[in-house]
Amino acid sequence: GSVTAEEIRRYADDNAATLRLNTVASLIGIGLLVYFVSALGRQVRLRQHGSTASNAMLSLSAVIAAQSLHLTAVNSIFAVPSQLAQVSDEGVVTFYQIAAAAEWLYTLTIASAGMLLVATYSWLALRLRLMARAVAWAGFVLLLFLNARRP
């Protein structure tokens, strides 16, 4: 079914604090992801000089970060009801529809880039002995579990 601008505004008003917290948490998470993957990439470069795998990991994290930032930006207007109040009813519904499309794209991006990132690091961790083998294998088990749950 379709949703009205009034319903969207009411939801934003009722959940403004949670939506703001989600926005801030997402921005912090994006920064931490890039920092964490940079540290993992450094670990790979120290063990395997000239490896392009660390660049691949950074590129995958950049794709995830960019899509996460896009989704956060699209949804951020709902976190500030005073700004949402300045938008026409048609605009509110359009933002809602854009947010739904951004969520769908986010899911696709995170599923593919995230699984490739985990697979790449798990493989490198096994190959270069960067961590306990059981932990590296757990990354592959996680991939199988997540892939089985994909629609």
Side-chain angles (χ1 to χ4, degrees), residues 21-53:
L21 180 63
N22 288 348
T23 299
V24 171
S26 180
L27 292 172
I28 291 169
I30 292 166
L32 290 175
L33 169 74
V34 173
Y35 180 79
F36 180 68
V37 174
S38 296
L40 295 178
R42 183 175 186 279
Q43 202 178 33
V44 170
R45 282 190 306 278
L46 288 174
R47 290 283 186 100
Q48 191 176 41
H49 303 290
S51 171
T52 59

Side-chain angles (χ1 to χ4, degrees), residues 1-26:
S2 62
V3 63
T4 66
E6 182 181 324
E7 292 170 321
I8 297 167
R9 290 180 201 277
R10 186 173 37 251
Y11 179 84
D13 284 338
D14 293 347
N15 297 285
T18 301
L19 294 170
R20 277 192 299 274
L21 180 63
N22 288 348
T23 299
V24 171
S26 180

Side-chain angles (χ1 to χ4, degrees), residues 71-130:
L71 181 62
T72 301
V74 167
N75 284 318
S76 66
I77 193 162
F78 300 111
V80 186
S82 62
Q83 287 186 356
L84 194 59
Q86 298 174 19
V87 178
S88 69
D89 286 350
E90 295 82 19
V92 170
V93 173
T94 300
F95 271 121
Y96 181 79
Q97 292 167 339
I98 291 170
E103 185 78 37
W104 179 75
L105 291 171
Y106 173 82
T107 302
L108 291 176
T109 303
I110 297 306
S112 57
M115 286 196 284
L116 280 171
L117 179 60
V118 171
T120 301
Y121 190 74
S122 294
W123 174 73
L124 289 167
L126 283 171
R127 186 167 172 234
L128 302 175
R129 301 176 192 256
L130 298 173

